[in-house]
Amino acid sequence: MAYNRNNYSKRVQYIREVYSKAKERDVPDTRILRHVFPSHGIYISYRQWMNIKGLKPSEYGASQLVLFR
């Protein structure tokens, strides 16, 4: 798959969906990274996860083409 913004946005949305299903109050993020994400085919570092987690939904949901409408 070619690397572009649309693919990145889809990947971030998928990762956030998996995270929201697995996250509970007493489950730390590191456990989700080590055990839950690999079972869904997601292999990212903790640093990458913090960058994705810090994104606002508008940053990963919208593409740049919206600016030209």
Side-chain angles (χ1 to χ4, degrees):
M1 179 172 14
Y3 183 80
N4 62 41
R5 185 69 182 167
N6 290 334
N7 288 339
Y8 179 74
S9 298
K10 290 176 189 175
R11 182 172 183 250
V12 167
Q13 287 177 346
Y14 175 67
I15 291 171
R16 300 280 300 217
E17 287 174 13
V18 170
Y19 174 77
S20 65
K21 290 178 185 175
K23 182 62 178 169
E24 294 178 9
R25 186 175 181 159
D26 59 342
V27 178
D29 286 354
T30 53
R31 180 167 179 82
I32 294 172
L33 278 171
R34 281 185 285 147
H35 299 287
V36 177
F37 282 177
S39 66
H40 291 277
I42 303 169
Y43 300 97
I44 58 174
S45 67
Y46 188 76
R47 182 182 178 113
Q48 287 175 324
W49 167 240
M50 285 293 116
N51 289 334
I52 290 172
K53 188 176 177 183
L55 290 177
K56 298 174 192 166
S58 61
E59 290 177 345
Y60 65 83
S63 67
Q64 291 180 345
L65 296 176
V66 174
L67 298 173
F68 298 108
R69 289 186 184 175

